[in-house]
């Protein structure tokens, strides 16, 4: 498919901020306990189901990819920003990273045991999220797991001029309602196993939603049909 136009702005912006992003964004070990617990639960589900490797989609500088490896799964990272991939390969040379887009993953059908989309879908225009979730569904093996995490809101559309050290950026971001994201996942064929909403506090600036879901097996699909 033709690359969606918004990806050019995302690629250019993250190439621009990559060094400061890597320095400013926390590693998973520095996250709040609930955020860490969702990553741990996802890794355990993937290990138990044992359906294949894990794609960290929108991996940035690879910090979360490396954390997943430490939790006992076999991850690889994908990001639309070549600069981010350079940083990830430099920091974690034992892990595989590649440039790619979640709108058209260069991954065979039913190959993955897990997909992590960790604060990586919020730049996708809402009308294109079904395309992204369909790619997740296509590439996951039956019984494979998805962890989707991101900021949520009431449908806000943000156009920041600067980010991560004051560098100019041209991307847009969206904070969709939790219920809308849950509906889109269900419409894409996922079964949601757990949903966690974290309210803003002195540590969290914005509301965060985490969805732990799986792609049903043929037997599960028959039972629910």
């Amino acid at each position: 498919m033709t690359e969606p136009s918004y990806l050019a702005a995302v690629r250019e912006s993250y190439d621009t901020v990559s060094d400061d992003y890597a320095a400013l964004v926390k590693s998973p070990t520095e996250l709040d306990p609930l955020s860490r617990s969702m990553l741990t639960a996802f890794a355990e589900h993937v290990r138990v189901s044992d359906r294949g490797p894990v794609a960290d989609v929108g991996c940035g500088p690879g910090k979360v990819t490396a954390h997943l490896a430490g939790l006992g799964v076999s991850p690889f990272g994908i990001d639309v920003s070549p600069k981010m991939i350079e940083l990830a390969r430099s920091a974690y040379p034992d892990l595989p990273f590649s440039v790619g887009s979640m709108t058209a993953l260069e991954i065979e059908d039913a190959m993955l045991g897990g997909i992590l989309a960790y604060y990586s879908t919020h730049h996708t225009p809402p009308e294109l999220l079904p395309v992204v979730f369909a790619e997740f569904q296509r590439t996951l093996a039956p019984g494979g797991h998805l962890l989707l995490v991101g900021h949520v809101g009431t449908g806000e559309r943000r156009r920041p001029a600067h980010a991560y050290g004051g560098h100019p950026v041209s991307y847009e971001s969206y904070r969709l309602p939790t219920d809308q994201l849950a509906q889109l996942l269900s419409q894409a064929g996922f079964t949601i196993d757990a949903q966690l909403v974290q309210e803003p506090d002195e540590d969290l600036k914005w509301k965060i939603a985490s969805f732990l879901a799986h792609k049903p097996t043929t037997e599960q699909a028959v039972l629910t049909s």
Side-chain angles (χ1 to χ4, degrees):
M1 63 175 288
T2 303
E3 179 179 275
S5 59
Y6 79 95
L7 286 177
V10 174
R11 181 182 298 109
E12 180 180 2
S13 297
Y14 279 100
D15 276 352
T16 300
V17 306
S18 58
D19 288 331
D20 282 306
Y21 181 100
L24 292 169
V25 172
K26 294 180 179 179
S27 68
T29 57
E30 300 173 295
L31 296 174
D32 63 276
L34 288 175
S35 295
R36 294 199 310 270
S37 70
M38 291 301 290
L39 288 169
T40 301
F42 169 69
E44 183 172 350
H45 276 73
V46 170
R47 290 198 312 270
V48 170
S49 61
D50 193 23
R51 305 280 177 166
V54 173
D56 181 4
V57 182
C59 65
K63 294 181 181 182
V64 183
T65 319
H67 184 72
L68 288 178
L71 293 174
V73 301
S74 299
F76 61 95
I78 301 170
D79 202 279
V80 73
S81 162
K83 292 290 187 180
M84 286 291 192
I85 292 301
E86 287 180 13
L87 290 175
R89 287 171 174 167
S90 177
Y92 309 104
D94 294 335
L95 294 176
F97 295 95
S98 61
V99 177
S101 166
M102 64 182 72
T103 59
L105 295 169
E106 295 183 4
I107 300 172
E108 295 180 6
D109 293 356
M111 172 185 170
L112 301 174
I115 293 176
L116 175 65
Y118 203 71
Y119 296 94
S120 60
T121 62
H122 58 285
H123 296 306
T124 305
E127 66 272 15
L128 291 180
L129 278 176
V131 175
V132 171
F133 293 165
E135 278 294 271
F136 293 173
Q137 174 76 195
R138 177 185 69 79
T139 54
L140 269 179
H145 293 274
L146 166 70
L147 178 60
L148 173 71
V149 181
H151 295 120
V152 292
T154 58
E156 299 94 333
R157 179 181 182 181
R158 301 178 67 247
R159 297 178 178 178
H162 301 86
Y164 302 108
H167 297 286
V169 294
S170 57
Y171 55 59
E172 297 180 346
S173 61
Y174 306 85
R175 294 183 187 151
L176 300 183
T178 305
D179 290 348
Q180 183 176 352
L181 286 170
Q183 183 179 29
L184 288 171
L185 287 172
S186 296
Q187 289 173 346
F190 287 100
T191 297
I192 297 175
D193 302 304
Q195 179 176 312
L196 172 67
V197 177
Q198 297 172 252
E199 298 294 337
D201 58 20
E202 62 271 15
D203 296 319
L204 301 177
K205 294 182 180 180
W206 302 287
K207 183 183 291 188
I208 297 169
S210 302
F211 300 90
L212 182 60
H214 74 273
K215 178 178 178 177
T217 63
T218 303
E219 294 79 5
Q220 290 170 334
V222 169
L223 289 174
T224 58
S225 63

